[in-house]
Amino acid sequence: MGRLQEFSQNKYFILFVLFAGWMVAYLDRMVMSVALTSIGDDLHLSAASLGIVLSSFFAGYALMQIPGGLLADKFGSKRVMIVSLIAWSLFTAFTGFAWSLASLLVIRFLFGVGESGFPAASSKAIAEYFPKAERAKAQSTMLSSNAFGAAIAPLFAAPMMLWLGWRNMFVVIALVGMVLVAVYWVVLKKPTNQQKGNAKHVETKQISMKDLLRTPTMWKLVIAWFGLDVVIWGFSSWLPSYLLKVRELDLLQAGVISSLPFFAGGIAMILGGWVVDKYFVGREKYFAIVVEILGAVFLYLMFKTPSLEMAVTYQILSAFFLYAGFAGIWSLPLKILPTAVMGSAAGMINFGGQLAGFVSPMVMGFLITAFNGSYDAAFWFLILSTIISVAACLTLGDAKKSLESKVISV
């Protein structure tokens, strides 16, 4: 027990636990994309209907992002994360019992509501345990779980579906989530006074949620994150189906190949946090702009090349640069805003991202149906969203001064 107490105050061990939570969260979400074709066949659903199912999760998830952030600030990161873990594990299991389009829509919407507090609470935990100079690296490392979770999901889901079927697969994943609930309950403790001092420094001016809502830079970050996450969620949600339908791979081949871009993305997020902290202090927006443009270029090359080998190469490069953009956008609020409102700020920015998660799969599903199974228009939609994110980043100006006008830290 003494050894466990020692671990519970180690910021890097806490980072590992947060990373594990995000991994399970993304596994719970992303296996849905792999199971999409089987669910559609069993329940007789069109691509447009399946797009709505994917988006229903994000409707609930986006709706509760800001309230989830406020709850994390009020009740603490540990409580909100544990409640979220319990809720999303239950609704993961319920997904395996869905019997119709309507039941899927309700279950996935409530799944999103249940999970919504976790992102803001985990970002608040980063602010509690890490000094500001290390937060971009810590946040990027934690969020690299998004990409690694998306990478592992098809590798896990494809053989699990062949072995147990898609329904039982969701029940097994739910059990993993409940194990993690016990880990969080035992391991997560309040940070020590020394860690609080390192994380907060001395904040001499308070900032409220109303101040955040009135700050133009915060809304620019919301739009930048919305544009980038449209691409991330559209890409990750429909890539397995694209490989099955357009590139004509079998389920196991599609599972393996669709995992490769996200392994690259996870590495890019960790490297991106390190590069931003070391070389782009005060110039974070330029990093985000460059990597997003490169990601869009390789996305275009991916769906235009007739070669399967080159398509796989381009999708890996596209994911690498797009996921690197996480570090540029998320570094600013983590470095400048006080710990006391980090949950609210993260919830506000992540609202844009999860609104993107609602819009992107649904719009892509409609575009695929409207163009008779062609994915070209859907991918052009993702490229347009990248342009929106880049434009928002270009308008940031001196983001650091804009945010520091609301809070003075020593």
Side-chain angles (χ1 to χ4, degrees):
M1 181 63 71
R3 187 67 172 169
L4 185 60
Q5 291 287 344
E6 181 182 338
F7 275 132
S8 71
Q9 295 299 337
N10 184 299
K11 62 184 178 182
Y12 297 109
F13 182 71
I14 296 300
L15 181 59
F16 170 77
V17 171
L18 295 174
F19 179 92
W22 273 98
M23 282 285 288
V24 174
Y26 260 69
L27 185 64
D28 286 359
R29 279 187 253 173
M30 296 310 302
V31 293
M32 189 68 180
S33 298
V34 182
L36 209 58
T37 300
S38 297
I39 292 172
D41 291 341
D42 284 358
L43 301 182
H44 310 292
L45 303 178
S46 67
S49 296
L50 291 171
I52 295 173
V53 169
L54 290 173
S55 292
S56 63
F57 165 84
F58 294 100
Y61 199 49
L63 182 67
M64 293 298 293
Q65 282 301 304
I66 293 176
L70 291 169
L71 289 172
D73 286 335
K74 183 173 182 179
F75 295 106
S77 57
K78 175 180 176 176
R79 290 181 182 178
V80 173
M81 285 190 289
I82 287 176
V83 170
S84 293
L85 272 165
I86 293 171
W88 91 55
S89 297
L90 289 175
F91 286 107
T92 296
F94 292 159
T95 301
F97 297 99
W99 62 92
S100 65
L101 174 61
S103 66
L104 267 178
L105 292 175
V106 172
I107 290 167
R108 300 304 287 183
F109 175 82
L110 293 175
F111 186 156
V113 171
E115 191 174 326
S116 61
F118 192 82
S122 60
S123 292
K124 183 176 179 68
I126 291 290
E128 289 171 342
Y129 280 91
F130 285 85
K132 292 187 178 183
E134 298 177 13
R135 288 180 186 174
K137 288 181 286 189
Q139 180 82 347
S140 294
T141 300
M142 181 180 74
L143 292 183
S144 69
S145 57
N146 297 4
F148 288 127
I152 291 172
L155 296 177
F156 173 89
M160 185 69 72
M161 283 174 57
L162 291 174
W163 180 35
L164 296 174
W166 66 268
R167 293 184 182 277
N168 289 329
M169 176 188 68
F170 282 107
V171 175
V172 170
I173 297 171
L175 294 176
V176 175
M178 295 307 293
V179 170
L180 201 58
V181 169
V183 172
Y184 271 54
W185 181 266
V186 172
V187 169
L188 291 184
K189 307 293 181 183
K190 289 184 179 181
T192 63
N193 291 333
Q194 181 180 1
Q195 287 168 326
K196 289 180 179 180
N198 287 339
K200 291 184 179 180
H201 297 288
V202 180
E203 291 159 359
T204 59
K205 182 179 178 180
Q206 295 298 315
I207 181 171
S208 66
M209 187 66 195
K210 186 181 294 185
D211 292 325
L212 294 177
L213 292 171
R214 290 176 176 175
T215 304
T217 294
M218 288 298 299
W219 287 107
K220 292 173 183 178
L221 288 169
V222 169
I223 295 170
W225 188 234
F226 169 83
L228 179 57
D229 242 14
V230 164
V231 188
I232 295 296
W233 280 114
F235 188 77
S236 58
S237 296
W238 285 100
L239 183 61
S241 295
Y242 169 75
L243 293 172
L244 288 167
K245 300 285 188 180
V246 178
R247 298 294 177 174
E248 299 181 340
L249 302 179
D250 63 37
L251 182 61
L252 286 176
Q253 288 174 324
V256 172
I257 291 177
S258 63
S259 72
L260 298 178
F262 304 109
F263 279 118
I267 294 169
M269 290 177 71
I270 295 172
L271 290 176
W274 181 82
V275 169
V276 166
D277 272 349
K278 190 170 181 66
Y279 298 109
F280 286 87
V281 176
R283 299 175 294 165
E284 292 86 355
K285 74 170 187 177
Y286 297 111
F287 177 84
I289 289 167
V290 170
V291 295
E292 286 189 53
I293 290 173
L294 288 171
V297 169
F298 285 115
L299 178 61
Y300 169 80
L301 293 173
M302 181 202 80
F303 72 88
K304 284 299 183 182
T305 181
S307 166
L308 174 61
E309 291 78 11
M310 291 309 300
V312 172
T313 301
Y314 290 141
Q315 73 186 32
I316 291 171
L317 290 170
S318 179
F320 181 88
F321 288 110
L322 289 170
Y323 274 95
F326 278 52
I329 293 174
W330 273 101
S331 60
L332 284 169
L334 281 165
K335 288 182 177 180
I336 296 168
L337 292 174
T339 303
V341 293
M342 189 54 61
S344 302
M348 181 177 171
I349 297 171
N350 211 37
F351 169 77
Q354 305 321 314
L355 184 62
F358 170 73
V359 169
S360 186
M362 183 170 56
V363 170
M364 288 187 71
F366 279 113
L367 288 172
I368 293 164
T369 299
F371 286 85
N372 300 315
S374 172
Y375 282 66
D376 285 13
F379 286 131
W380 274 114
F381 164 68
L382 299 186
I383 291 172
L384 175 62
S385 298
T386 308
I387 295 171
I388 292 172
S389 181
V390 168
C393 288
L394 283 169
T395 65
L396 281 172
D398 192 339
K400 187 171 183 179
K401 285 185 179 179
S402 176
L403 288 174
E404 282 184 335
S405 66
K406 294 291 183 184
V407 57
I408 302 171
S409 296
V410 181

